[in-house]
Amino acid sequence: MAWAMADESIKVQMFRFVDVLPMLRDYESINRHLHEYFEDVQQHLPWAARLALNITDGNHILGRALAINARSNARRMAERFIAGSNIEEVTQAVLKIRDAGFAFTLDQLGEAVLSDKQADAYQQTYLHLLENLPASLNALPESLQVDANHLGSIPRVNLSLKLSALDAHFNPADPKGTTNRVLHRLRPILRAAMEQGVFINIDMEQSYYKDLTYNIFCEVLMEKEFRQFVDVGIVCQAYLKSAEDDLNSLLKWVKKRKTPVTVRLVKGAYWDYETVIAGLRSWPVPVFEQKWESDANFEKLATVLLKNYELLSPAFGSHNLRSLSFAVATAEQLKVPKDAFEFQMLYGMGTEQAQVFTELGYRVRIYTPFGERIPGMAYLVRRLLENTSNDSFLRHSYQEDLRIEEMMKEPTASEKKNMNTTDTEATETEVFPFVNEPLTDFSQEENRDAMQEALEQVRGQFGEEYPVMISGKSYETRQQLTSRCPFDQDIVVGRTSSATSELIEEAIDTARRALSGWASIDADHRAEYLDLVASEMQSRRFELAAWMVYESAKPWKEADGDVAEAIDFCRYYATQMRLMEQSFDTDLPGEENEYFYRPRGVAVVIAPWNFPLAILTGMTVAAIVTGNTVVMKPAEQSPVIAAKLMEIFRSIGLPDGVVNYLPGIGEEIGPDLVASPNVDLIAFTGSREVGLEINQRAAETGSAHHGVKRVITEMGGKNAIIIDEDADLDEAVLGVIESAFSFSGQKCSACSRLIIVEKIYDQFLKRLQPAVESLQIGPADHPGTQLSSVIDTESRIRIAEYIDIGTDENELLYAGELDSKQKKQRTFIAPHLFVDVDVNDQLAQEEIFGPILSIIKAKDFSEAIKIANSTDYALTGGVYSRSPVNLKKARKDFLVGNLYLNRPCTGALVNRQPFGGFRMSGIGSKSGGSDYLHQFLIPVNVTENTMRRGFAPEEE
Ligand code: NAD
């Protein structure tokens, strides 16, 4: 710990090592990780540790000794913070805690709950504690200091629990569904607690869960059965900017309830997580960014609590002496009885402090975690971080000679820090003025309401007709495309005209006529149109998402992401175009050089249905911002959302003819579009089969052709995720599920092969399967749905054929079930897991585009990479590993366009993860990346000799 505090690089490696250690099964593996983690920071290690690393390198016996040593040290550390792993150990531990004069609250540590089975197990543990603990504790003699408050006796058994562990999908976007499921498991716990006289505290986790946690708490405690129950509590996290409002709402509620509850006031344990996640999602940071602000807020809220102690019984959870002393002093000032509130401190941290407050006559409760060591490690690392953080009070009090006056100082701003942060922000934005459009935070009620409203509004427009649109003129055709809602085929989302051969020609001619006018507009002006499209999409954001919910069966989150990506493409390509316009000077005296771009001409954009707005928008706006004109052909499964895009182009005043909307069946109108001699460029995204055909047809030239077409095709994938033996299982299971089953596996980036290293094969499947079983299948317009139908009946039939093949040739581990309504639709496919699939099996080679996961066993990591590379595709790939050497190997040897380490392999963001593959996955450079626009342009160079008769003008 002392080394870790002294050197940040060692701290990072040490905590990462502690984090991975429980997953390492043998000494060889521990020894290998020790070397991998510490070799790069060796020079920072004390000599003894350096020596140990050096002499154990390759030496079997010494290596084993080092491994044993590392493991027993970590175990000792874990024992310091985690009270026990079973009920006997826990009972012993709490008896000791009471002997020392403290009260306790128990908290079960655990793996992330990702399945109903796990949620049931969590509930059972608590019911078991409720059954067994009170007898042994209530037999003890009463200790007034810990067993009573100003009103009388209080429960001796006190349990803390997390609501997210009572549900397989604690989902704030679906408060109703989540509340029902959580309460189903919570009520029996509350009931037993009332009967047994046990206190139940609901813990707080990440802020995304906060509102729903409060709502469930308040809802259940207003039920008749529980309304009189006083022995319950909840947490208020002072580091949240919303904490004061949260506390005031609670106060208002408790006045209505008329029975008090306890509030544990803490600063909050997820600060790093909250700031990092908010940054990655471009969401506002929910926590105060300066430590002193949280400290100050803690004091403010402590005062609120003490003023209302008869309604909200205060429990102050902190190790900061200043914060605790503040509470003591304020209580004295407000004449709050000494036993009307309590202090709470963590097991294994700052024991002397806890002692001091007991000696002063206060009730001190020890927050006591218990559970298996493996899942407990996340908790352990958090505690280690807290102990070693630069801002940690404990660190200050133990490690450094800070004066008491300094430590007890009122929390206020240090101005220097503030100025620094603004400086860096300013420079960062100057470099590249693009920020990703944030995804909608559906934990916010107003966003959920807006989405419901939009769905309603869209329902009101079902069945409308949309004509072909060429040069601003509408053309209605006899033949129509009927767009049906995939998850409810009785719904006609809309009807569009379907282009005829005359209209194809008309559209191409129109685009050609519009070309010179459009190309002569300067680039900045064209980019402005893209900004306008982005703004319009932003203002119609929920509505556009709602169209995709119904037309493409996209669950809320997916539909929302699609709109955000469309907005990103507009803003990003606008920014890129402006940058590309800036000429760089290569002039010399007597020679003037100019390098610039011309548009290629008429572009045909052919898009797929699976990102019906984002991809269509991306290809189209890339073509127009570079000065080309466009014939836009959406997929026949998603022509309505494309008509909405056309509507947007018109509403922002894009000149007629620059984009022409040409819906139709691909096989029917595609070939003519592709072969036309008047087309200069084709931007296609879709299947390999069609992409290759387009590439071939576009290459043909005849006497009518005046050039060779430029072809950009983004095609399919057969993407793999590798699970290494030391993977973080919580994260890996979640990541695989997200990658394989979000949008029913219908993303080109979706994981369809799971390659697991032998050593962890069975263990991983044991966690994966129940999590897959717990996925919620349903209509896409329901906020709780994780998996809806696939796009159409044709697609379902194709996927079902693969299921048949898999059932014949491989082993089916799990097949999900559909209800009768879903079966009737003939578009639903439940998730399937096939195991022991061979590398060369059809299931491991062909793109299936559905919720089917083929699982392959690999001997070791190297073989896993070999298997991953053994298809014709090279689009995305993923690796879950905590071995620095293996991660490095993956970077070098895993042949894909987009590689994701320790995260899902879907969800690329414009600019941050430019997207696209090679081999049979595509020709062309990455969409959403800086090379993309070049494909739509012809670079030209002009050189002028400016010297006349020996006289050269001065350079400007
Ligand atoms: P698809 O190939 O069936 O259709 C794509 C488009 O091509 C549609 O507009 C369709 O009407 C049109 N089309 C069909 N036949 C044509 C022909 N003969 N000539 C010209 N156009 C024709 O693909 P899809 O089912 O819409 O989309 C799913 C496929 O797209 C998957 O294979 C997926 O991997 C791929 N995809 C790739 C990426 C990527 O970036 N690499 C992104 C999304 C989807």
Side-chain angles (χ1 to χ4, degrees), residues 747-952:
K747 299 182 186 179
C748 49
S749 54
C751 165
S752 69
R753 292 180 299 153
L754 180 62
I755 304 168
I756 310 175
V757 170
E758 197 171 20
K759 267 191 189 164
I760 201 184
Y761 191 79
D762 294 331
Q763 193 186 354
F764 190 80
L765 292 184
K766 224 181 261 162
R767 291 249 358 235
L768 179 70
Q769 188 187 334
V772 175
E773 279 170 25
S774 308
L775 285 171
Q776 307 222 347
I777 307 173
D781 59 352
H782 188 283
T785 292
Q786 292 172 292
L787 223 86
S788 193
S789 70
V790 296
I791 188 72
D792 54 20
T793 331
E794 233 180 289
S795 179
R796 189 197 67 89
I797 292 170
R798 210 175 28 74
I799 299 166
E801 282 168 11
Y802 278 105
I803 293 176
D804 290 343
I805 296 172
T807 317
D808 283 349
E809 295 181 3
N810 308 98
E811 196 193 324
L812 176 65
L813 175 68
Y814 170 74
E817 284 189 18
L818 302 175
D819 64 25
S820 59
K821 230 164 109 193
Q822 291 160 354
K823 280 187 193 144
K824 227 179 88 212
Q825 282 296 325
R826 314 195 62 74
T827 46
F828 278 85
I829 293 250
H832 282 65
L833 301 175
F834 287 99
V835 285
D836 298 331
V837 176
D838 187 79
V839 203
N840 299 311
D841 288 346
Q842 231 172 317
L843 240 51
Q845 289 293 327
E846 294 172 18
E847 186 180 48
I848 301 175
F849 234 56
I852 314 295
L853 187 60
S854 307
I855 302 169
I856 307 171
K857 193 189 281 181
K859 209 167 73 248
D860 53 26
F861 192 78
S862 299
E863 193 186 74
I865 295 265
K866 227 181 269 157
I867 297 171
N869 286 338
S870 69
T871 71
D872 293 340
Y873 294 104
L875 192 53
T876 73
V879 175
Y880 280 90
S881 171
R882 284 181 282 188
S883 154
V885 167
N886 287 352
L887 291 172
K888 209 162 165 187
K889 185 175 169 55
R891 280 173 194 264
K892 197 165 108 272
D893 298 337
F894 198 157
L895 297 179
V896 288
N898 287 65
L899 177 63
Y900 297 95
L901 306 178
N902 291 318
R903 54 151 279 170
C905 68
T906 52
L909 291 178
V910 168
N911 185 38
R912 272 159 57 186
Q913 292 95 24
F915 186 80
F918 55 102
R919 285 191 184 163
M920 287 298 183
S921 292
I923 324 167
S925 44
K926 288 171 174 300
S927 65
S930 59
D931 300 322
Y932 191 71
L933 291 187
H934 289 104
Q935 307 173 106
F936 293 79
L937 291 161
I938 300 166
V940 175
N941 193 77
V942 176
T943 299
E944 183 181 348
N945 170 8
T946 53
M947 192 154 74
R948 306 262 161 91
R949 306 249 164 235
F951 166 72

Side-chain angles (χ1 to χ4, degrees), residues 18 78 97 167 393 438 562 916:
V18 170
I97 291 172
D167 185 18
F393 189 88
D562 204 310

Side-chain angles (χ1 to χ4, degrees), residues 172-187:
D174 174 25
K176 225 166 106 199
T178 307
T179 305
N180 285 339
R181 292 187 304 265
V182 167
L183 288 184
H184 181 70
R185 294 194 177 95
L186 181 62
R187 283 195 196 99

Side-chain angles (χ1 to χ4, degrees), residues 93-104 140-148 342-343 351 353-366:
V94 297
L95 290 175
K96 262 199 213 138
I97 291 172
R98 280 188 58 97
D99 260 358
F102 302 116
F104 68 88
L140 300 174
E142 183 172 64
S143 146
L144 271 183
Q145 191 172 346
V146 295
D147 295 333
E342 66 181 35
F343 294 106
T351 322
Q353 289 184 20
Q355 199 64 44
V356 167
F357 285 89
T358 320
E359 280 163 19
L360 289 173
Y362 292 100
R363 181 168 69 251
V364 178
R365 190 175 301 284
I366 304 297

Side-chain angles (χ1 to χ4, degrees), residues 126-139 154-159 188-200 226 229 231:
Y126 277 86
L127 290 175
H128 187 76
L129 288 173
L130 280 158
E131 182 99 338
N132 294 298
L133 262 190
S136 41
L137 279 141
N138 292 344
I154 57 170
R156 298 183 183 188
V157 179
N158 186 312
L159 305 177
I189 295 179
L190 292 177
R191 220 165 273 145
M194 279 198 328
E195 274 165 24
Q196 303 283 344
V198 169
F199 187 101
I200 299 290
F226 303 115
F229 190 27
D231 297 323

